[in-house]
Amino acid sequence: MAGSSLFALIDDIASILDDVSLMTKVAAKKTAGVLGDDLALNAQQVAGVKADRELPVVWAVALGSLRNKAILVPAALAISAFIPWAVTPLLMLGGAFLCFEGFEKLAHRYLHPQAGHDDPAAATGELDPVALERDKIKGAVRTDFILSAEIIAITLGTVTGAPLQQQITVLVGIALIMTVGVYGIVAAIVKLDDGGLYLLRSAGNDGWGRVKAGLGRAILAAAPSMMRSLSVIGTVAMFMVGGGILTHGLPWAHHGIEGATAMVAATAVVGGVLAAITPAVLNALFGVLAGGVVLLLVETVKRLVGALRG
């Protein structure tokens, strides 16, 4: 009797683990797109930090990301249980904020043309490295919070209806997998130049040594351009993610993008390619427009408040 009960318990545990594994796999597939944007944004955030401080900064942001998820997982479960209608509005607020940050980044030099001249340290390039590092970490953790919220919300939608224990297991699993995956790859990206230098220095005079030396030189040549491009990629990712969140929350925009995708899919030869890129392009354009509107509202409110105080 005891033996049969034990086997039944083991069977139940195996069944639960199988369900958790399946749901985790589905959630990981659905959040893969956000993972790519998260990667681009966070790799871009650490650009400009001193070489010997790159990994400590990545580690600090990764810890901040874990804290974000430690807040978001219980909050998502509570919201889903008590006020499920609030999930979409909260996500849209986060999407609008991402679009605002992206547009503000583009418009900064026009909104604050004297910013670099008013600060003697900025004008001479003598920025406080500690302050710069602290600002980088704060900005990266803030951006991560919004992207993590989207990842958790997508995952929560995947496990809706499952028992609470399975929901918690899948959410925690996805949170850990995404954090380790993103910041592990970010660490590898920011240390590319060190990898190239190691290959170059450790190359011998034989054939394999020449291959290593050539690969090291190629990495060293490509790393600066790659790091510079991350700034552009990160900004584009802000608009794509933020715009995507907003369009998914607005039925007319979502259906409009679906209709446009179906139209271009009918194009001969290149229809498949156009159908694949059209949603991303339209989401990014919507994000740019939304960012501009939010920035205009924010600047208007700032000036009104300034005028009233004056």
Side-chain angles (χ1 to χ4, degrees):
M1 187 70 177
S4 62
S5 298
L6 177 61
F7 284 127
L9 177 61
I10 292 173
D11 185 61
D12 289 342
I13 293 172
S15 178
I16 291 170
L17 290 176
D18 187 54
D19 291 342
V20 168
S21 175
L22 180 62
M23 287 186 290
T24 302
K25 188 183 296 184
V26 172
K29 286 181 179 179
K30 288 189 175 183
T31 56
V34 184
L35 176 65
D37 297 325
D38 200 357
L39 176 62
L41 284 170
N42 285 290
Q44 177 258 326
Q45 290 280 15
V46 300
V49 176
K50 286 186 176 182
D52 61 334
R53 294 297 302 163
E54 287 172 341
L55 289 182
V57 168
V58 172
W59 175 246
V61 178
L63 290 178
S65 178
L66 286 174
R67 286 193 294 271
N68 286 341
K69 292 176 177 69
I71 295 168
L72 288 166
V73 169
L77 290 168
I79 291 170
S80 177
F82 300 110
I83 46 172
W85 55 265
V87 174
T88 298
L90 288 172
L91 272 177
M92 292 187 70
L93 282 174
F97 180 75
L98 270 182
C99 296
F100 163 73
E101 278 209 323
F103 202 92
E104 187 182 42
K105 185 177 178 182
L106 294 178
H108 182 78
R109 68 176 62 184
Y110 303 106
L111 292 174
H112 310 284
Q114 300 301 319
H117 301 292
D118 294 339
D119 186 354
T124 59
E126 297 175 357
L127 293 172
D128 180 2
V130 176
L132 175 64
E133 185 176 304
R134 186 172 58 247
D135 290 343
K136 288 273 186 182
I137 293 170
K138 286 172 62 178
V141 172
R142 185 172 61 241
T143 301
D144 175 274
F145 188 89
I146 297 168
L147 292 171
S148 294
E150 187 181 12
I151 289 170
I152 296 301
I154 292 170
T155 305
L156 189 63
T158 303
V159 298
T160 299
L164 180 61
Q165 298 93 326
Q166 292 185 21
Q167 290 187 24
I168 294 172
T169 303
V170 173
L171 284 169
V172 171
I174 286 292
L176 292 175
I177 290 168
M178 291 299 178
T179 302
V180 172
V182 166
Y183 293 100
I185 298 173
V186 167
I189 289 174
V190 300
K191 301 308 287 183
L192 262 181
D193 50 352
D194 288 351
L197 190 60
Y198 171 79
L199 288 173
L200 195 59
R201 286 177 174 173
S202 63
N205 296 321
D206 56 355
W208 174 239
R210 287 192 291 273
V211 171
K212 287 175 66 176
L215 182 59
R217 280 191 289 268
I219 292 174
L220 286 172
S225 299
M226 184 177 180
M227 292 304 295
R228 284 194 298 269
S229 69
L230 286 173
S231 178
V232 177
I233 295 170
T235 303
V236 172
M238 281 186 174
F239 291 127
M240 287 177 62
V241 176
I245 294 172
L246 294 176
T247 57
H248 276 81
L250 298 170
W252 57 269
H254 183 62
H255 294 320
I257 291 175
E258 285 184 337
T261 303
M263 285 178 59
V264 298
T267 306
V269 183
V270 294
V273 176
L274 291 177
I277 65 174
T278 295
V281 172
L282 292 179
N283 283 333
L285 291 174
F286 193 92
V288 172
L289 179 62
V293 171
V294 175
L295 181 62
L296 179 62
L297 290 173
V298 169
E299 289 296 319
T300 301
V301 170
K302 281 183 178 179
R303 293 185 182 186
L304 285 174
V305 170
L308 289 173
R309 286 179 176 176

